[in-house]
Amino acid sequence: MSKPVPCMWMRGGTSKGGYFLAGDLPSDTKERDAFLLRIMGSPDERQIDGMGGADPLTSKVAVVKPSVRDGVDVDYLFLQVGVDQATVTDLQNCGNILAGVGPFAIERGLVDPEDGETKVTIYMENTGQIATVLIQTPKGKVTYKGKAAIDGVPGTAAPIAITFQETAGSSCGALLPSGNPKDVIDGIDVTMIDNGMPTVVMRATDLGIRGSESRAELEANDALRQKLESIRLQCGPLMNLGDVTEKSVPKMSMVSPAQKGGAISTRTFIPHRCHASIGVLGAVSVATACMLDGSPAHDFAQIPTGKRKTLKIEHPIGQATVLLDLNDDNEIETAAIIRTARKLFDGTIFAE
């Protein structure tokens, strides 16, 4: 694909990547993937010949189109582009990149803005679920300026409230694909859970770490990485994900008591590099594990009272706040999180 292609580069939450209209990309999947690898500069650990930022968190793509579904504004497909591997996968969702989909849809004319706030309903193609986002649109125009702050992003921006519904089991077929709040793999207690992101939750101390280490320390711990990969490969089939050798899921989240007043502390591999923070849907899955009696996360999680639970999930550079609303049976009905986004550039991108 040699012609220039319209593209908007955006930061969404604690990630960033390219946002495309589906009609601007090749309809053939192999051609599309080859184009995305080229514009990102993959495979290359520096991604020096493309737009990628040499990190999985900055090598992401959103593909957006008008939806034909009742009550839905746009469809969103998330694609994770490999950094040092020639891979493009749609096997996971991304709640951070999702934060930019609403503003992008309005800016591209797919959704008519209201004066003040505009609700955008988004169908997430990766998991078949729906999210509703609330975008700040004073005088009918998207604003990225505001006073909302999220850890992992400097400064402040306009808040984007994201509400998820019916995310349980969206990738694995069940909230707890094994049927248990706790299983034992390689002698380690684990919770295999999917509330929007397939995640394996374990106690940090069971893996021989404190859970307060830096990202760099954990990535340099070869013994830890080998343990995590052994557990991950065994959990894949048990989570109905099949052979996950070449897949980006499940995520591996090690939990420990909160250090800074939150509900719990996390260190997450995604799956082979340690996340600088934590993914939006990964945070939702960990927060859900905190609520499950018998889960390793439940043992020391600080859970507030009431039907609405505000859980601050600590990560290496701060916290992600998850709001869980319970129904009368004390089951999680909706999960919400506050994110921000910023338009970085809007123009054309070249593959040659």
Side-chain angles (χ1 to χ4, degrees):
M1 193 171 188
S2 58
K3 67 178 183 179
V5 174
C7 174
M8 186 180 291
W9 218 262
M10 300 185 74
R11 174 188 63 76
T14 54
S15 296
K16 64 181 176 181
Y19 289 69
F20 296 88
L21 291 176
D24 291 331
L25 292 175
S27 57
D28 179 81
T29 300
K30 288 185 178 180
E31 289 184 23
R32 180 202 68 190
D33 291 354
F35 170 78
L36 295 177
L37 288 166
R38 185 70 178 129
I39 63 120
M40 284 294 186
S42 303
D44 172 29
E45 64 180 12
R46 295 170 63 206
Q47 291 182 316
I48 194 64
D49 199 33
M51 293 298 298
D55 190 293
L57 303 183
T58 58
S59 189
K60 299 184 173 187
V61 168
V63 183
V64 182
K65 64 183 179 184
S67 183
V68 297
R69 296 172 173 83
D70 290 340
V72 177
D73 295 307
V74 296
D75 294 346
Y76 151 58
L77 175 68
F78 169 70
L79 297 172
Q80 177 70 60
V81 181
V83 176
D84 56 357
Q85 297 181 11
T87 58
V88 179
T89 177
D90 63 359
L91 294 177
Q92 68 180 73
N93 217 328
C94 181
N96 277 304
I97 292 296
L98 171 67
V101 172
F104 175 76
I106 295 171
E107 296 231 32
R108 283 290 189 263
L110 304 185
V111 176
D112 293 330
E114 302 288 338
D115 182 8
E117 295 181 326
T118 301
K119 182 174 73 171
V120 181
T121 304
I122 301 166
Y123 177 78
M124 299 179 285
E125 292 188 48
N126 303 75
T127 55
Q129 305 300 312
I130 292 175
T132 300
V133 300
L134 197 61
I135 309 302
Q136 302 302 303
T137 52
K139 297 182 180 179
K141 291 189 176 182
V142 175
T143 182
Y144 298 96
K145 295 181 179 180
K147 298 182 179 180
I150 60 173
D151 290 329
V153 178
T156 63
I160 298 174
I162 305 176
T163 301
F164 301 98
Q165 294 181 335
E166 300 178 356
T167 54
S170 54
S171 294
C172 300
L175 178 69
L176 299 173
S178 74
N180 306 314
K182 181 178 76 174
D183 292 279
V184 180
I185 307 291
D186 284 352
I188 304 296
D189 291 344
V190 305
T191 295
M192 293 178 279
I193 190 166
D194 172 20
N195 200 7
M197 178 61 70
T199 306
V200 180
V201 181
M202 306 149 284
R203 299 183 195 90
T205 52
D206 289 349
L207 276 300
I209 66 169
R210 301 182 307 277
S212 57
E213 291 87 348
S214 69
R215 182 188 193 190
E217 286 180 272
L218 295 177
E219 288 197 343
N221 189 333
D222 290 337
L224 170 67
R225 295 177 70 168
Q226 290 175 10
K227 287 181 184 177
L228 288 175
E229 186 63 359
S230 174
I231 294 171
R232 193 179 79 88
L233 293 177
Q234 293 176 70
C235 288
L238 297 174
M239 298 179 75
N240 300 318
L241 297 171
D243 182 358
V244 296
T245 304
E246 303 296 329
K247 297 179 181 179
S248 58
V249 288
K251 310 303 185 186
M252 309 296 287
S253 194
M254 298 168 286
V255 297
S256 57
Q259 307 289 316
K260 299 178 180 179
I264 202 164
S265 179
T266 63
R267 295 292 185 271
T268 303
F269 276 71
I270 57 172
H272 302 126
R273 295 187 66 178
C274 186
H275 204 307
S277 53
I278 190 171
V280 168
L281 291 163
V284 171
S285 288
V286 169
T288 305
C290 290
M291 301 291 297
L292 300 176
D293 190 13
S295 165
H298 184 76
D299 294 346
F300 41 73
Q302 300 298 310
I303 307 295
T305 59
K307 289 291 185 183
R308 165 159 281 198
K309 309 289 186 183
T310 301
L311 277 69
K312 293 183 177 181
I313 308 301
E314 298 179 1
H315 52 70
I317 53 176
Q319 301 176 340
T321 301
V322 178
L323 305 177
L324 300 177
D325 282 320
L326 308 185
N327 60 23
D328 292 337
D329 296 322
N330 285 323
E331 298 170 335
I332 296 172
E333 192 166 77
T334 63
I337 197 163
I338 298 295
R339 296 279 88 184
T340 64
R342 187 166 82 87
K343 179 170 65 172
L344 303 176
F345 80 69
D346 189 4
T348 55
I349 197 162
F350 298 84
E352 293 184 3

